[in-house]
Amino acid sequence: MRKMSRILMFSFLFVFLASAAFAAFPERSVSVVCPWGAGGGTDRLTRFMASQLEKELGKPFPVTNKTGGNGAVGHSAGAFSKPDGYTITMVTLELATMHWMGLTELTYADFDYVIQLNQDPAGVMVKADAPWKNLGELLEAVKATPEKFKFSGTAAGGVWDLARIGMLDKAGIPVNAVSWIPTTGAAPSIIELLGGHVEVITCSLPEAASQIAAGEIRPLAIMADSRDPAFPDVPTLKESGIDWSAGTWRGFAVPKGTPAEVIDVLYNAMKKITDSGEYKEFMSKNGFGILIRGPKEFAEFARQQDTDLKNVMELGGYLKK
């Protein structure tokens, strides 16, 4: 009986000490890895969240930009850090494409997930004076004479190219029947569109917001499950009978095996931040869409993205493994 009491006492003591340790997290600074360059959208969101986390949790959250390999360097540095919560990584859609392109062995399964912060769906846009008034008219024209159409939006195999491939496939159009004109991003693609060098661009609507407002570009559709409140007159693909949604996204993850109690502390702090008016104002000012998913939902989303984008990359001829 006395032996049993001692065992119970030590068990309670262990649980108490473990709980106290997790309750104290973080006891020191937490490194924040951003896989993309300083000044870009992902970097701005990372630094905003880091500054807010310092206020919430009372410890420094220094950000380090670890770039290279189309995101592989930074994602790998974060994933293969010690799983104790003291390194968190801003993960992006490229986590679901890098390994299929043969750039890394890293996959979504090397992380545990804290929170998804953002999702920016792809839009389908043409010049304001183009003859196609809606997505149906555009796709009918593409089906009739696909060789006449040039699309653009980003680099070959980039997020907006993959969005275009998925849309055409779901619409029953051979994905290589139209030409993809690669650029370094949405901004030069918009210039190509306005200059009459391409007929269609796929990128997020906020990236072309000023041209849309000026009446220079006509958005025909958005690749999302529901309409964007900032562009309420732009229908979704699904409203046109095309079951496809696509876009870029961002969120925080930690190395696989990080204690659940630590993830809870991080999630609760981040959820408080994302519920704030300050967060909503920051996201609106930067043209970022807000989509919040908790740890389980974000993990499932990352897994599904890995499968979906593998199929799209195979259709586009980008699959390397």
Side-chain angles (χ1 to χ4, degrees), residues 276-294:
S276 70
E278 191 172 358
Y279 180 79
K280 295 176 176 65
E281 180 181 356
F282 171 85
M283 298 297 278
S284 176
K285 181 179 178 180
N286 284 273
F288 298 147
I290 297 175
L291 195 154
I292 308 301
R293 288 186 171 101

Side-chain angles (χ1 to χ4, degrees), residues 135 222 224-227 232 234-243:
L135 183 67
I222 187 172
D225 294 334
S226 58
R227 295 193 183 196
V234 181
T236 67
L237 289 188
K238 294 185 178 183
E239 291 177 63
S240 298
I242 300 173
D243 187 18

Side-chain angles (χ1 to χ4, degrees), residues 185-265:
S189 298
I190 290 169
I191 294 172
E192 290 290 300
L193 178 67
L194 295 178
H197 305 296
V198 300
E199 286 71 39
V200 188
I201 59 171
T202 50
C203 65
S204 73
L205 297 182
E207 288 175 302
S210 61
Q211 291 84 5
I212 293 171
E216 298 173 327
I217 286 179
R218 179 188 302 140
L220 300 182
I222 187 172
M223 303 186 197
D225 294 334
S226 58
R227 295 193 183 196
D228 186 338
F231 302 90
D233 296 329
V234 181
T236 67
L237 289 188
K238 294 185 178 183
E239 291 177 63
S240 298
I242 300 173
D243 187 18
W244 175 248
S245 59
T248 190
W249 48 264
R250 305 171 178 93
F252 277 115
V254 290
K256 193 73 174 179
T258 299
E261 294 87 346
V262 169
I263 293 174
D264 286 344
V265 171

Side-chain angles (χ1 to χ4, degrees), residues 74-200:
H75 282 92
S76 296
F80 301 128
S81 297
K82 186 177 180 180
D84 56 5
Y86 286 97
T87 299
I88 63 176
T89 304
M90 180 67 84
V91 296
T92 62
L93 168 134
E94 286 74 15
L95 181 60
T97 63
M98 296 181 298
H99 69 106
W100 295 126
M101 297 177 76
L103 299 174
T104 179
E105 293 298 316
L106 180 77
T107 76
Y108 74 94
D110 292 303
F111 283 103
D112 283 331
Y113 294 82
V114 181
I115 190 170
Q116 184 177 344
L117 300 167
N118 150 263
Q119 189 163 324
D120 295 317
V124 183
M125 290 166 271
V126 298
K127 281 185 70 176
D129 60 0
W132 317 289
K133 305 302 182 184
N134 56 58
L135 183 67
E137 291 180 1
L138 172 66
L139 294 180
E140 284 303 315
V142 172
K143 288 179 181 179
T145 56
E147 68 280 358
K148 294 183 178 181
F149 282 84
K150 297 181 180 69
F151 283 61
S152 190
T154 188
V159 56
W160 306 132
D161 184 18
L162 299 180
R164 183 264 319 183
I165 291 170
M167 176 186 71
L168 293 178
D169 178 60
K170 293 293 185 180
I173 300 172
V175 299
N176 293 321
V178 304
S179 299
W180 178 260
I181 307 303
T183 66
T184 56
S189 298
I190 290 169
I191 294 172
E192 290 290 300
L193 178 67
L194 295 178
H197 305 296
V198 300
E199 286 71 39
V200 188

